[in-house]
Amino acid sequence: MNPEELHSLAEERREALDQFQHRVVVCTGTACQAAQSRKIIEALDGIVKERGINGRCTVSAGGCRGLCSAGPMVAVEPTDVLYQGVTPDDAASIIDSLESEPVKALTCDTSAPFFTRQKRVVLEYEGRLNPESIDDYIAAGGFSTFVRILTEMTSGDVIEQIRQSGLGGRGGAGYSTALKWSTVAKALGTTKYVICNGDEGDPGAFMDRSVMEDYPFKVLEGMMIAAFAVGAQEGFVYVRAEYPLAVKRLKQAIRQAEKYSLLGNNICGTSFSLKLDVRLGAGAFVCGEETALIASIEGKRGSPRPRPPYPAESGLWGCPTLINNVETYANVVPILREGAEWFAGIGTERSKGTKVFALSGAIVNTGLIEVPMGISLREIIYDIGGGIPNGRRFKAVQTGGPSGGCIPEQYLDMPVDYQSLAQVGSIMGSGGMIVMDESSCMVDVAKFFMEFCMTESCGKCIPCRVGTAQMYRLLDKISQGRARLQDLEVLEELCDMVKHTSLCGLGQAAPNPVLSTLRYFREEYLAHIVDHVCPAGVCKIAHEEIAL
Amino acid sequence: MRPRAAAPAAPSDDKRWRIVTATMRRHGFSPDALIETLHSAQEAFGYLDEIALRYVAASLMVPLSKVYGVATFYNLFALKPQGEHTCVVCMGTACYIKGSPQILSAIDEEFGIKGGETTPDKKVSLMIARCLGSCGLASAVVFDGDVMGKVEPDAAVERIRRWTT
Amino acid sequence: MTRKTIATVWLDGCSGCHMSFLDIDHRLLDLADMIELVYSPLVDRKDFPESVDITLIEGSVSNQADLDKIRHIRAHTRTLISLGDCAVTGNVPALRNTIGAEPVLQRAYMEPDLLNAQIPTVGVPPLLPVVRAVHTVVRVDVFIPGCPPSADTIFNALSDLLNDRQPSVAGKTRFGA
Amino acid sequence: MSRVATLKINGQDVSGREDETILEVARENGIPIPTLCQIEGLSNVGACRMCLVEVAGISKLLPACTTRVAEGMDVRTESERLTHYRRMAVEMLFAEGNHICSVCVSNGHCELQGMAVALGIDHIHLPYLAPRRGVDASHERFTFDANRCILCTRCVRVCDEIEGAHTWDVMGRGVGSVVITDLNERWGDSPTCTSCGKCVQTCPTGALFIKGSAVGEMTKRNTFLTYIAQMRGNLK
């Protein structure tokens, strides 16, 4: 395929779509599917046929609209009407109102802050595209950036654009993407790999899942551009097996791209060749760590190894390897399409662009949101999220999953960027954001995350293997009201040691939920230990003799 | 591809072995394909028994202990047969704070099974998921592949009871 | 010079540490001038004194009586010494921690083909579910590991304490020594 | 051919090839760094964290066994903080398994016990986990007592890298990790074990021992490792 062919294909497809006066797009994200959105598609299809308007109206599956708590969502194009809480029984009224006023009772107010306060770069298509159709993606301008780069730019140009954009790795740490790319580009060796880390394992995070499920082509295009920039000929998308839909759609997307010769040998008649494939995880959180992920792709136990050497130098099968997270790759196309300057204009001085968050917990609007870096937690929670339901009080917001921390009310006006979050003892992480109200016990939350880290520790290094188990035991003892003050001292000592001596990020960050809750909610620990009560009423306090 | 003796014959004429062999062939019988192959064996047979592990080890020329190490490292591989029905309770953060532990204890009380266990009559397996990525649906439970959102303990027990009677 | 009061106590142990203590031999005479042995399995006194300068504990905390005793002793002792591996780590008595108290009693008293097999309950304190090292129950000031610690180690540690020095056993003894 | 780097270890000027690790260069210069999982002649995994050192300008502690030296590096192998962490790591091992030195075949010859002495550990202040672990005495010559295993994986590596049998590996994960033979079968039934005993001789504790050894009788001989490595040209 050359640029002209791609262009005409896009035109063709756009015309084909324009034939339809009405396009009804039903969200098939996980939440909406759980709410029977497949049945809604069937019902809508049935009505369309019944009314004999299938020449004018098309019903298709689309991606996530973000507002999962109001699902299932149905959108009507081009009038841009959005319906919420739709049931199969609503199909007739939706179809019958296409020519007139929208169905009032089902209309979702898209002028609400949930929609207007977001900034969509990664989720730019807002779920409108059929994720299983490369034609739809191409019609929306997809792959034109890749093809243009391939035929007009050099590897150095691409990396320079990424550098100017200020893009940081969206896997959590915000490490400069351009620096990573240029390291791999400069690394010696003719065989190089690109890997997309889709092993989203944080409990409470589903951003990457949505991106992979809804925009598989966009992720692939980002990887293709990256492969071109670093000089890789082969790549893998490593997806956790718990995401079967993402696996299916990515595999489908790769096959479709191969069919159009966007993947394969001598793409666009250039010397650039690329083969992409999907590899499945098998249920191990630690495989989100890049060296463990590589071991897993090599068919081994997912145990991390000490770095350096970094994968950029010696990664998959010992070759220079670029590993980026799903969301990072999904930012690549917009940056190179709209320009680095445009991207750098979004966000803050040191954290550029947007961040996708999975908003959940004690909050009115749960779902998937994308916001500019630097927005305050308060705006996210109260404006976009609609605040805390059931008249309860906000207590803390957890970011960064088992590697992050709980942020209390006093920091609600803090801007959300890599630096600020780190300052208050949490991390950006991959984007899980769980809001907790006063019914959550912070000791219990810390225990929950420690149990997670303990069972997900690979067991290779002593501090993480044993330390997480010991911290878990102590937290369990505290939560039961059976601990002594000395136990708290030992807990803090363990936190310090595990943080500074563990081999990989899992262990190094495992103490964070404990440290942050100790920092802001120490009185809750003391209540369990000294007064033998759980203020939130969550923990079961044991009344047997203490210390035994 | 490494030089090798002829690939070992499938353990039996059960057609499902063809799926497993096909996966290995697609990867050129490379030892790197161990995880992909275990996935395909588990999909074909529901779990990984000793026969399957030995066959995969011999075919990919991976040491037995390494195969066992990999099969036990990853949560999704089961070395024992699963129940007729499976109930997966999400214990992600959002589900946890919205009451997944209560769902688990209700199921335990009613059917006597904890996470990872199967009822003695082999009807129901209870599993715990780390996070289904359906946090908007908290608490989420998957009953035989169907995700159900905002599940209360009673509703979960009721749904399982339908399988057992 | 006022003599320091000393107590020695057996909890769950084999008394080997006390034997090692006695192995100090003639040096006991040197110590005798500086100490007053106020409570010990070696002397005839039923109640633990109101206030003791130094108490040496042999054995682990394995039953309810051990627990009551050690708490009382801690409250009435200035410097508490965990003497020997049982007190310091739980050692051999703690072997049962991987199994639990109940199965051990079952195995010992019920499984053998005995006449009127029964688990004794009268006149013996109930076992704690878990055998504990002394410092996991009360604060301990000095640790002297060893099974048993050598007479020299015990003597040196005691001499240090009697001369108001913090004893250091590093490199002189070890777990299992 | 690797270039030579000059660096400082504990203030002392030393030099090493850039493909050498901090540990190798330190030992060449008579500077001791404690290790447990590391053993000369096998690959290094950086798992036990005993050899962590401070390197000026790097906030993270680095394992000396896997970190290569570099020009101008300023390494500290001893500090209060390092000692504290090393002690905790050793305490963690004592608390993780069931190490009853007084009844162990390796009493007096055990690297774990020796490390406790070297670091002045006189009690374990971390909670004991007291796991229930088994003993495999099915092999006619050797016994594996999992209670004493510290998961250093020397047995796994020596069996794979030197003997070439790969009878041993690790199963499970986290604190539930256990070393196994073949498909977690009885060692005595292993069709892959050559009974060479290299695993026993490289085991740092009494987890692997020769049958019939009484308390304190099991001494390990692993000088063959450096010899074999040398013969194979692996030793730099």
Side-chain angles (χ1 to χ4, degrees), chain A residues 194-199 212 219 223 236-239 293 322-327 329:
Chain A
V194 286
I195 294 176
C196 173
N197 184 348
D199 190 52
M212 287 186 288
V219 175
M223 281 182 82
F236 297 93
V237 190
Y238 184 89
V239 190
L293 188 153
L322 174 73
I323 304 191
N324 278 135
N325 151 281
V326 172
E327 197 181 327
Y329 283 125

PDB file of all heavy atoms in Angstrom, chain A residues 194-199 212 219 223 236-239 293 322-327 329:
ATOM      1  N   VAL A 194      10.283  -4.350  19.272  1.00  0.00           N
ATOM      2  CA  VAL A 194       9.404  -3.442  20.007  1.00  0.00           C
ATOM      3  C   VAL A 194       8.373  -4.287  20.738  1.00  0.00           C
ATOM      4  O   VAL A 194       7.908  -5.302  20.219  1.00  0.00           O
ATOM      5  CB  VAL A 194       8.646  -2.439  19.101  1.00  0.00           C
ATOM      6  CG1 VAL A 194       9.561  -1.359  18.608  1.00  0.00           C
ATOM      7  CG2 VAL A 194       7.951  -3.142  17.961  1.00  0.00           C
ATOM      8  N   ILE A 195       8.086  -3.896  21.956  1.00  0.00           N
ATOM      9  CA  ILE A 195       7.080  -4.603  22.733  1.00  0.00           C
ATOM     10  C   ILE A 195       6.074  -3.593  23.261  1.00  0.00           C
ATOM     11  O   ILE A 195       6.444  -2.506  23.702  1.00  0.00           O
ATOM     12  CB  ILE A 195       7.727  -5.360  23.919  1.00  0.00           C
ATOM     13  CG1 ILE A 195       8.637  -6.474  23.397  1.00  0.00           C
ATOM     14  CG2 ILE A 195       6.644  -5.954  24.827  1.00  0.00           C
ATOM     15  CD1 ILE A 195       9.393  -7.208  24.476  1.00  0.00           C
ATOM     16  N   CYS A 196       4.816  -3.976  23.205  1.00  0.00           N
ATOM     17  CA  CYS A 196       3.780  -3.163  23.817  1.00  0.00           C
ATOM     18  C   CYS A 196       3.353  -3.861  25.097  1.00  0.00           C
ATOM     19  O   CYS A 196       2.942  -5.024  25.071  1.00  0.00           O
ATOM     20  CB  CYS A 196       2.597  -3.006  22.860  1.00  0.00           C
ATOM     21  SG  CYS A 196       1.195  -2.181  23.620  1.00  0.00           S
ATOM     22  N   ASN A 197       3.503  -3.159  26.197  1.00  0.00           N
ATOM     23  CA  ASN A 197       3.161  -3.736  27.494  1.00  0.00           C
ATOM     24  C   ASN A 197       1.672  -3.547  27.770  1.00  0.00           C
ATOM     25  O   ASN A 197       1.223  -2.489  28.172  1.00  0.00           O
ATOM     26  CB  ASN A 197       4.009  -3.058  28.579  1.00  0.00           C
ATOM     27  CG  ASN A 197       3.787  -3.666  29.964  1.00  0.00           C
ATOM     28  OD1 ASN A 197       2.849  -4.451  30.162  1.00  0.00           O
ATOM     29  ND2 ASN A 197       4.641  -3.319  30.905  1.00  0.00           N
ATOM     30  N   GLY A 198       0.937  -4.613  27.517  1.00  0.00           N
ATOM     31  CA  GLY A 198      -0.508  -4.580  27.761  1.00  0.00           C
ATOM     32  C   GLY A 198      -0.871  -5.483  28.918  1.00  0.00           C
ATOM     33  O   GLY A 198      -1.961  -6.038  28.985  1.00  0.00           O
ATOM     34  N   ASP A 199       0.079  -5.631  29.832  1.00  0.00           N
ATOM     35  CA  ASP A 199      -0.161  -6.494  30.994  1.00  0.00           C
ATOM     36  C   ASP A 199      -0.684  -5.639  32.144  1.00  0.00           C
ATOM     37  O   ASP A 199      -0.103  -5.611  33.222  1.00  0.00           O
ATOM     38  CB  ASP A 199       1.123  -7.212  31.409  1.00  0.00           C
ATOM     39  CG  ASP A 199       0.848  -8.296  32.438  1.00  0.00           C
ATOM     40  OD1 ASP A 199      -0.016  -9.124  32.173  1.00  0.00           O
ATOM     41  OD2 ASP A 199       1.502  -8.304  33.504  1.00  0.00           O
ATOM     42  N   MET A 212      -6.964  -0.947  24.157  1.00  0.00           N
ATOM     43  CA  MET A 212      -6.674  -2.089  23.277  1.00  0.00           C
ATOM     44  C   MET A 212      -7.938  -2.614  22.619  1.00  0.00           C
ATOM     45  O   MET A 212      -7.941  -3.010  21.464  1.00  0.00           O
ATOM     46  CB  MET A 212      -5.996  -3.208  24.064  1.00  0.00           C
ATOM     47  CG  MET A 212      -4.557  -2.908  24.439  1.00  0.00           C
ATOM     48  SD  MET A 212      -3.724  -4.312  25.201  1.00  0.00           S
ATOM     49  CE  MET A 212      -4.478  -4.383  26.808  1.00  0.00           C
ATOM     50  N   VAL A 219      -3.098   1.601  18.520  1.00  0.00           N
ATOM     51  CA  VAL A 219      -1.966   1.076  19.288  1.00  0.00           C
ATOM     52  C   VAL A 219      -0.938   0.479  18.331  1.00  0.00           C
ATOM     53  O   VAL A 219       0.263   0.737  18.429  1.00  0.00           O
ATOM     54  CB  VAL A 219      -2.446   0.005  20.302  1.00  0.00           C
ATOM     55  CG1 VAL A 219      -1.263  -0.626  21.010  1.00  0.00           C
ATOM     56  CG2 VAL A 219      -3.414   0.622  21.308  1.00  0.00           C
ATOM     57  N   MET A 223       2.974   1.522  17.540  1.00  0.00           N
ATOM     58  CA  MET A 223       4.087   0.559  17.594  1.00  0.00           C
ATOM     59  C   MET A 223       4.855   0.544  16.278  1.00  0.00           C
ATOM     60  O   MET A 223       6.075   0.402  16.262  1.00  0.00           O
ATOM     61  CB  MET A 223       3.544  -0.852  17.853  1.00  0.00           C
ATOM     62  CG  MET A 223       3.193  -1.152  19.278  1.00  0.00           C
ATOM     63  SD  MET A 223       2.628  -2.872  19.426  1.00  0.00           S
ATOM     64  CE  MET A 223       4.191  -3.751  19.503  1.00  0.00           C
ATOM     65  N   PHE A 236       6.006  -7.452  19.632  1.00  0.00           N
ATOM     66  CA  PHE A 236       4.962  -8.219  20.306  1.00  0.00           C
ATOM     67  C   PHE A 236       4.083  -7.309  21.144  1.00  0.00           C
ATOM     68  O   PHE A 236       4.572  -6.378  21.773  1.00  0.00           O
ATOM     69  CB  PHE A 236       5.583  -9.270  21.231  1.00  0.00           C
ATOM     70  CG  PHE A 236       6.389 -10.303  20.502  1.00  0.00           C
ATOM     71  CD1 PHE A 236       7.758 -10.136  20.335  1.00  0.00           C
ATOM     72  CD2 PHE A 236       5.771 -11.425  19.972  1.00  0.00           C
ATOM     73  CE1 PHE A 236       8.511 -11.080  19.648  1.00  0.00           C
ATOM     74  CE2 PHE A 236       6.513 -12.376  19.282  1.00  0.00           C
ATOM     75  CZ  PHE A 236       7.889 -12.209  19.121  1.00  0.00           C
ATOM     76  N   VAL A 237       2.803  -7.605  21.124  1.00  0.00           N
ATOM     77  CA  VAL A 237       1.907  -6.976  22.081  1.00  0.00           C
ATOM     78  C   VAL A 237       1.684  -8.030  23.160  1.00  0.00           C
ATOM     79  O   VAL A 237       1.197  -9.122  22.875  1.00  0.00           O
ATOM     80  CB  VAL A 237       0.551  -6.600  21.448  1.00  0.00           C
ATOM     81  CG1 VAL A 237      -0.253  -5.738  22.408  1.00  0.00           C
ATOM     82  CG2 VAL A 237       0.754  -5.895  20.132  1.00  0.00           C
ATOM     83  N   TYR A 238       2.110  -7.726  24.385  1.00  0.00           N
ATOM     84  CA  TYR A 238       1.942  -8.673  25.481  1.00  0.00           C
ATOM     85  C   TYR A 238       0.678  -8.286  26.233  1.00  0.00           C
ATOM     86  O   TYR A 238       0.619  -7.237  26.870  1.00  0.00           O
ATOM     87  CB  TYR A 238       3.164  -8.634  26.393  1.00  0.00           C
ATOM     88  CG  TYR A 238       3.144  -9.652  27.521  1.00  0.00           C
ATOM     89  CD1 TYR A 238       3.668 -10.928  27.341  1.00  0.00           C
ATOM     90  CD2 TYR A 238       2.608  -9.330  28.761  1.00  0.00           C
ATOM     91  CE1 TYR A 238       3.655 -11.859  28.357  1.00  0.00           C
ATOM     92  CE2 TYR A 238       2.593 -10.255  29.792  1.00  0.00           C
ATOM     93  CZ  TYR A 238       3.125 -11.520  29.587  1.00  0.00           C
ATOM     94  OH  TYR A 238       3.112 -12.439  30.609  1.00  0.00           O
ATOM     95  N   VAL A 239      -0.333  -9.109  26.131  1.00  0.00           N
ATOM     96  CA  VAL A 239      -1.627  -8.791  26.730  1.00  0.00           C
ATOM     97  C   VAL A 239      -1.960  -9.844  27.778  1.00  0.00           C
ATOM     98  O   VAL A 239      -1.726 -11.036  27.575  1.00  0.00           O
ATOM     99  CB  VAL A 239      -2.748  -8.812  25.671  1.00  0.00           C
ATOM    100  CG1 VAL A 239      -4.040  -8.239  26.248  1.00  0.00           C
ATOM    101  CG2 VAL A 239      -2.332  -8.036  24.450  1.00  0.00           C
ATOM    102  N   LEU A 293       8.421  -9.311  31.939  1.00  0.00           N
ATOM    103  CA  LEU A 293       7.606  -9.434  30.735  1.00  0.00           C
ATOM    104  C   LEU A 293       8.405 -10.111  29.624  1.00  0.00           C
ATOM    105  O   LEU A 293       7.917 -11.005  28.931  1.00  0.00           O
ATOM    106  CB  LEU A 293       7.133  -8.052  30.302  1.00  0.00           C
ATOM    107  CG  LEU A 293       6.112  -7.935  29.164  1.00  0.00           C
ATOM    108  CD1 LEU A 293       5.303  -6.665  29.312  1.00  0.00           C
ATOM    109  CD2 LEU A 293       6.782  -7.942  27.808  1.00  0.00           C
ATOM    110  N   LEU A 322      12.621  -2.188  22.704  1.00  0.00           N
ATOM    111  CA  LEU A 322      11.851  -1.037  23.176  1.00  0.00           C
ATOM    112  C   LEU A 322      10.562  -1.548  23.808  1.00  0.00           C
ATOM    113  O   LEU A 322       9.794  -2.262  23.162  1.00  0.00           O
ATOM    114  CB  LEU A 322      11.515  -0.105  22.009  1.00  0.00           C
ATOM    115  CG  LEU A 322      10.590   1.056  22.383  1.00  0.00           C
ATOM    116  CD1 LEU A 322      11.342   2.095  23.200  1.00  0.00           C
ATOM    117  CD2 LEU A 322       9.974   1.681  21.144  1.00  0.00           C
ATOM    118  N   ILE A 323      10.348  -1.195  25.071  1.00  0.00           N
ATOM    119  CA  ILE A 323       9.082  -1.551  25.704  1.00  0.00           C
ATOM    120  C   ILE A 323       8.365  -0.281  26.110  1.00  0.00           C
ATOM    121  O   ILE A 323       8.909   0.538  26.850  1.00  0.00           O
ATOM    122  CB  ILE A 323       9.281  -2.417  26.967  1.00  0.00           C
ATOM    123  CG1 ILE A 323      10.081  -3.664  26.628  1.00  0.00           C
ATOM    124  CG2 ILE A 323       7.933  -2.820  27.554  1.00  0.00           C
ATOM    125  CD1 ILE A 323      10.099  -4.681  27.739  1.00  0.00           C
ATOM    126  N   ASN A 324       7.158  -0.109  25.610  1.00  0.00           N
ATOM    127  CA  ASN A 324       6.316   0.988  26.056  1.00  0.00           C
ATOM    128  C   ASN A 324       4.944   0.434  26.401  1.00  0.00           C
ATOM    129  O   ASN A 324       4.557  -0.627  25.938  1.00  0.00           O
ATOM    130  CB  ASN A 324       6.183   2.061  24.968  1.00  0.00           C
ATOM    131  CG  ASN A 324       7.365   3.024  24.933  1.00  0.00           C
ATOM    132  OD1 ASN A 324       7.898   3.358  23.887  1.00  0.00           O
ATOM    133  ND2 ASN A 324       7.799   3.473  26.110  1.00  0.00           N
ATOM    134  N   ASN A 325       4.257   1.217  27.181  1.00  0.00           N
ATOM    135  CA  ASN A 325       2.921   0.837  27.599  1.00  0.00           C
ATOM    136  C   ASN A 325       1.891   1.183  26.511  1.00  0.00           C
ATOM    137  O   ASN A 325       2.172   1.952  25.596  1.00  0.00           O
ATOM    138  CB  ASN A 325       2.694   1.589  28.935  1.00  0.00           C
ATOM    139  CG  ASN A 325       1.276   1.924  29.193  1.00  0.00           C
ATOM    140  OD1 ASN A 325       0.749   2.885  28.639  1.00  0.00           O
ATOM    141  ND2 ASN A 325       0.647   1.130  30.013  1.00  0.00           N
ATOM    142  N   VAL A 326       0.741   0.558  26.587  1.00  0.00           N
ATOM    143  CA  VAL A 326      -0.327   0.738  25.606  1.00  0.00           C
ATOM    144  C   VAL A 326      -0.646   2.218  25.380  1.00  0.00           C
ATOM    145  O   VAL A 326      -0.684   2.707  24.246  1.00  0.00           O
ATOM    146  CB  VAL A 326      -1.614   0.018  26.077  1.00  0.00           C
ATOM    147  CG1 VAL A 326      -2.789   0.352  25.177  1.00  0.00           C
ATOM    148  CG2 VAL A 326      -1.394  -1.479  26.146  1.00  0.00           C
ATOM    149  N   GLU A 327      -0.846   2.925  26.486  1.00  0.00           N
ATOM    150  CA  GLU A 327      -1.263   4.323  26.374  1.00  0.00           C
ATOM    151  C   GLU A 327      -0.161   5.180  25.747  1.00  0.00           C
ATOM    152  O   GLU A 327      -0.435   6.142  25.026  1.00  0.00           O
ATOM    153  CB  GLU A 327      -1.636   4.862  27.768  1.00  0.00           C
ATOM    154  CG  GLU A 327      -2.456   6.144  27.716  1.00  0.00           C
ATOM    155  CD  GLU A 327      -2.776   6.664  29.113  1.00  0.00           C
ATOM    156  OE1 GLU A 327      -2.944   5.846  30.040  1.00  0.00           O
ATOM    157  OE2 GLU A 327      -2.850   7.890  29.275  1.00  0.00           O
ATOM    158  N   TYR A 329       1.991   4.218  23.444  1.00  0.00           N
ATOM    159  CA  TYR A 329       1.899   4.015  21.989  1.00  0.00           C
ATOM    160  C   TYR A 329       0.686   4.729  21.407  1.00  0.00           C
ATOM    161  O   TYR A 329       0.733   5.248  20.296  1.00  0.00           O
ATOM    162  CB  TYR A 329       1.828   2.518  21.671  1.00  0.00           C
ATOM    163  CG  TYR A 329       3.168   1.804  21.769  1.00  0.00           C
ATOM    164  CD1 TYR A 329       3.329   0.692  22.580  1.00  0.00           C
ATOM    165  CD2 TYR A 329       4.271   2.239  21.026  1.00  0.00           C
ATOM    166  CE1 TYR A 329       4.538   0.020  22.675  1.00  0.00           C
ATOM    167  CE2 TYR A 329       5.493   1.580  21.113  1.00  0.00           C
ATOM    168  CZ  TYR A 329       5.629   0.468  21.936  1.00  0.00           C
ATOM    169  OH  TYR A 329       6.836  -0.181  22.019  1.00  0.00           O
TER     170      TYR A 329
END
